[in-house]
């Protein structure tokens, strides 16, 4: 793709490399599992003097390749410290950075826009049903697609909120397809227990609806991070493969369960805040706080899920 002004889009890159740099940036935005584009970006940045960015691309190449000897040798010839240094501690020891992620480096603007979108959905329900449904659908498609991109970017070493819209934006490919894939995967795992109960009842096995109602939220909170991560990094077919989900959970069990517990605590704390009488006294303030708080928690959740995969990249082959 030709860019109107490569110099403005990548002023820190040498002129002879800019077109290729921008092309590769578009390519890696799709989350390829091949380390070559990340290595090429690292090389371009290295030879352009952008050493910090070069380190980031080299680290991502190392993660994607599961530290293959060929990739490690290539990196060592250019910037040997790029892989030896760790950008971050495991997320369970890095809460200061984790909690700041949705607000850092201007990311708070994205959270505010997402919050405004969520806020607007409450008022959409006042209008005609078709309009309300369409508006809410588009808002949550955009939000879901961006959250998946956050998971993907974080898993590959990103430290700042990525942009949803690239220079060549395709609503179906960039928004509708990933969002619907994610929703489909969530629906698949949500329906699965109900089918088990149905068939258990048909077989005459004792089933307690009340007991299931208590267990289901726990079940869902456990499978959700794995489903979202698998969908972001592998797509729908990977996400709905229970074998892969079990592998993700089993190979990262301690980190994974700590993430589940942390997310449960965060959501409980936010829910408690939303229930306070002082906020309910002003409906507009209440809706504003709920919307912004929900957006913050969504992005924080996506980042933590991405960190599960990033911190366990060698075990998962991310």
């Amino acid at each position: 793709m030709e860019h109107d002004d490569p110099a403005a889009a990548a002023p820190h890159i040498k002129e002879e490399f800019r077109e290729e740099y921008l092309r590769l940036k578009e390519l890696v935005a799709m989350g390829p599992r091949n380390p070559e584009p990340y290595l090429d970006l690292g090389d371009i940045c290295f030879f352009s003097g952008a050493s910090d960015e070069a380190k980031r691309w080299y680290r991502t190449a190392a993660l994607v390749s599961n530290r293959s000897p060929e990739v490690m040798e290539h990196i060592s010839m250019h910037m040997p410290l790029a892989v030896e240094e760790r950008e971050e501690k495991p997320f369970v020891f890095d809460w200061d950075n984790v909690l700041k992620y949705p607000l850092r480096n201007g990311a708070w603007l994205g959270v505010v826009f997402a919050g405004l979108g969520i806020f607007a959905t409450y008022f959409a329900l006042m209008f005609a049903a078709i309009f309300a449904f369409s508006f809410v659908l588009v808002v949550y498609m955009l939000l879901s697609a961006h959250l998946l991109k956050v998971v993907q970017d974080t898993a590959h070493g990103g430290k700042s909120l990525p942009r949803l819209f690239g220079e060549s934006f395709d609503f179906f490919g960039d928004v509708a397809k990933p969002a619907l894939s994610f929703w489909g995967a969530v629906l698949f795992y949500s329906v699965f227990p109900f089918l088990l109960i149905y068939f258990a009842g048909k077989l005459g096995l004792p089933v307690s609806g009340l007991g299931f109602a208590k267990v289901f939220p726990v079940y869902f909170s456990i499978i959700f991070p794995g489903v979202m991560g698998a969908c972001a990094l592998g797509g729908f077919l990977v996400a709905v493969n229970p074998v892969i989900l079990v592998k993700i959970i089993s190979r990262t069990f301690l980190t994974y369960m700590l993430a589940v517990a942390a997310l449960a605590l965060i959501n409980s704390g936010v829910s408690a805040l939303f229930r306070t009488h002082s906020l309910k006294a002003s409906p507009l303030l209440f809706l504003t706080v709920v919307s912004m708080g929900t957006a913050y928690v969504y992005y924080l959740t996506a980042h933590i899920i991405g960190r599960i995969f990033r911190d366990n990249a060698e075990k998962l082959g991310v």
Side-chain angles (χ1 to χ4, degrees):
M1 171 183 175
E2 292 293 327
H3 295 269
D4 294 335
D5 189 0
H12 63 302
I13 300 299
K14 287 185 177 180
E15 184 177 356
E16 61 265 34
F17 300 137
R18 282 175 186 155
E19 281 289 347
E20 180 66 5
Y21 172 83
L22 294 172
R23 184 189 72 80
L24 289 168
K25 285 271 285 186
E26 290 181 356
L27 177 61
V28 300
M30 296 184 287
R33 307 295 290 275
N34 178 2
E36 289 185 7
Y38 302 106
L39 285 175
D40 290 343
L41 279 167
D43 291 346
I44 288 172
C45 292
F46 176 78
F47 289 113
S48 297
S51 58
D52 287 342
E53 186 176 353
K55 285 182 182 181
R56 182 163 70 86
W57 293 121
Y58 285 145
R59 289 190 184 104
T60 304
L63 290 172
V64 169
S65 69
N66 203 18
R67 301 175 71 90
S68 74
E70 295 82 4
V71 169
M72 301 304 288
E73 182 180 359
H74 179 100
I75 295 172
S76 67
M77 290 190 298
H78 294 81
M79 196 173 286
L81 295 179
V83 181
E84 294 173 10
E85 298 173 355
R86 283 194 66 89
E87 284 183 312
E88 301 164 316
K89 309 169 191 173
F91 89 90
V92 292
F93 302 111
D94 195 28
W95 282 107
D96 183 54
N97 281 320
V98 169
L99 294 173
K100 289 177 181 176
Y101 173 84
L103 308 174
R104 189 171 51 231
N105 299 332
W108 63 272
L109 284 171
V111 174
V112 168
F113 278 116
L116 289 173
I118 295 170
F119 183 84
T121 61
Y122 296 123
F123 292 94
L125 300 176
M126 299 178 185
F127 297 92
I130 294 177
F131 170 81
F133 176 78
S134 301
F135 180 78
V136 172
L137 182 67
V138 170
V139 168
Y140 277 95
M141 272 188 175
L142 288 166
L143 185 57
S144 297
H146 199 200
L147 293 173
L148 290 170
K149 200 159 190 176
V150 168
V151 174
Q152 184 184 83
D153 183 72
T154 299
H156 289 154
K159 298 175 70 176
S160 300
L161 199 67
R163 291 190 306 170
L164 173 60
F165 303 107
E167 291 188 20
S168 55
F169 178 69
D170 171 20
F171 182 82
F172 177 77
D174 295 336
V175 176
K177 185 178 178 181
L180 293 175
S181 295
F182 174 54
W183 295 350
V186 170
L187 180 63
F188 172 82
Y189 285 103
S190 299
V191 171
F192 189 65
F194 290 97
L195 291 176
L196 288 178
I197 287 181
Y198 173 78
F199 286 114
K202 287 289 186 181
L203 294 172
L205 299 175
V207 178
S208 169
L210 182 61
F212 174 75
K214 292 179 179 178
V215 171
F216 183 78
V218 177
Y219 154 81
F220 190 77
S221 66
I222 290 174
I223 61 106
F224 181 80
V227 173
M228 188 174 196
C231 193
L233 297 168
F236 175 76
L237 294 178
V238 172
V240 297
N241 187 333
V243 175
I244 292 177
L245 182 61
V246 170
K247 284 183 179 179
I248 290 171
I249 297 174
S250 61
R251 291 180 181 179
T252 66
F253 186 75
L254 181 58
T255 305
Y256 191 96
M257 296 312 294
L258 285 170
V260 169
L263 291 172
L265 286 172
I266 291 167
N267 280 283
S268 297
V270 172
S271 297
L273 174 65
F274 292 164
R275 289 195 298 268
T276 59
H277 179 73
S278 59
L279 290 176
K280 288 186 178 180
S282 172
L284 190 60
L285 175 62
F286 177 68
L287 284 178
T288 303
V289 173
V290 167
S291 301
M292 298 301 167
T294 299
Y296 172 83
V297 170
Y298 280 167
Y299 283 105
L300 180 63
T301 299
H303 179 60
I304 289 175
I305 292 171
R307 288 293 296 267
I308 294 172
F309 286 80
R310 172 172 166 72
D311 294 345
N312 296 278
E314 292 187 16
K315 295 178 183 177
L316 298 173
V318 175

